[in-house]
Amino acid sequence: MKIDVLTLFPAMFAGPLDESIIMRARKAGLLELNIHQLRDWTQDRHKTVDDRPFGGGPGMLLKAEPLFAAVEGLRREPTKVILLSPAGRNFSQAIARELAEAQDLLLVTGHYEGFDERVRDALADDELSIGDYVLTNGALPAMVVIDAVTRLLPGVLGDDASSRDESFSHGLLEYPQYTRPAEFRGMKVPDVLVSGNHAEIEKWRREQAQLRTRQARPDLLT
Ligand code: 4GX
């Protein structure tokens, strides 16, 4: 998969995507990642990307011209153009799975008060939010999407982690887990887990996952 990102802050992307599983996927050629500076598509001396809203009001908007020039220059069919903004649909594991099937993604990250509405109308195939809180710009949301999608690409995770994932996708939280020592500062590992009785362990884990989900995330059960 190829993912292109349009941002005013390309330096923010150095680091998080240069480590661990994502970097391994990039080195293996499973993910081609290109970070682009939106200002490179401006025409004026000052490389202006923003302007004031018609009708007045606070703040600045990202101008249509550089965004249209950039998106039209970068996309090649079939590229999915995705805006990151608080007005998008809530990003989820289901959407990550959907995007992992796509050919190429072009992530367009907002700044200021948002985009000229014509960007949404004429360029965007989708608009995603990573949650109901306000960030300073769309770089972190773009990285969240890239991370969640990349780990689902075929070959990126080992078989172990992939099948473990399957069991999460039936919608329960993980059961409690422990590693050595069996007693730490007086806190003991539940007896059943050291009993060697695998049927009982299975049963305990199923119950604990249910219980934990009901207590912490009842919304997942509805
Ligand atoms: N999940 N932000 C985008 C600028 C903006 C404002 C309005 C479009 C419309 C965010 C989030 C998020 C802050 C990124 C505002 N763009 N993006 N930015 N939460 O808070 O995605």
Side-chain angles (χ1 to χ4, degrees):
M1 171 177 278
K2 179 166 81 81
I3 303 182
D4 287 277
V5 180
L6 264 176
T7 176
L8 290 173
F9 309 104
M12 283 185 71
F13 290 80
L17 305 173
D18 299 333
E19 297 279 349
S20 182
I21 293 168
I22 305 300
M23 195 60 216
R24 204 173 62 213
R26 294 171 63 190
K27 284 182 171 155
L30 301 169
L31 170 69
E32 180 191 337
L33 181 66
N34 306 302
I35 310 297
H36 307 275
Q37 168 59 264
L38 176 62
R39 287 190 202 280
D40 293 348
W41 280 271
T42 54
Q43 301 280 358
D44 63 310
R45 216 157 42 84
H46 296 106
K47 298 184 185 290
T48 311
V49 291
D50 60 326
D51 205 345
R52 287 150 42 211
F54 277 118
M60 301 289 270
L61 295 175
L62 287 177
K63 291 166 63 62
E65 296 102 312
L67 282 165
F68 272 70
V71 171
E72 285 168 352
L74 288 172
R75 82 172 154 205
R76 53 164 200 220
E77 290 311 313
T79 296
K80 215 169 171 178
V81 178
I82 302 174
L83 309 184
L84 282 310
S85 99
R89 54 188 185 123
N90 266 136
F91 187 57
S92 64
Q93 191 62 24
I95 295 175
R97 272 186 231 116
E98 180 190 315
L99 297 183
E101 307 277 316
Q103 299 285 334
D104 297 331
L105 303 178
L106 172 51
L107 304 180
V108 182
T109 67
H111 186 48
Y112 311 113
E113 304 312 308
F115 315 95
D116 183 293
E117 190 66 17
R118 289 165 290 198
V119 170
R120 199 169 266 127
D121 293 342
L123 289 181
D125 297 307
D126 204 349
E127 185 165 358
L128 298 176
S129 165
I130 64 159
D132 294 339
Y133 36 77
V134 182
L135 301 166
T136 55
N137 67 73
L140 289 167
M143 288 187 259
V144 166
V145 170
I146 292 165
D147 188 285
V149 170
T150 300
R151 64 185 288 289
L152 297 178
L153 299 177
V156 170
L157 294 184
D159 285 346
D160 250 37
S162 319
S163 52
R164 186 146 37 81
D165 228 47
E166 301 276 292
S167 69
F168 285 142
S169 25
H170 55 49
L172 293 181
L173 299 182
E174 187 58 289
Y175 45 77
Q177 300 197 87
Y178 303 84
T179 185
R180 290 183 296 177
E183 182 172 344
F184 174 69
R185 296 192 178 177
M187 298 177 281
K188 292 183 69 177
V189 172
D191 285 336
V192 59
L193 295 180
V194 292
S195 69
N197 185 334
H198 292 289
E200 279 300 311
I201 291 171
E202 268 302 299
K203 179 164 161 280
W204 183 85
R205 285 179 166 169
R206 263 199 312 276
E207 291 166 356
Q208 289 293 317
Q210 274 289 339
L211 196 66
R212 177 168 282 195
T213 308
R214 190 153 12 93
Q215 278 168 358
R217 293 293 307 278
D219 56 298
L220 294 178
L221 296 171
T222 61

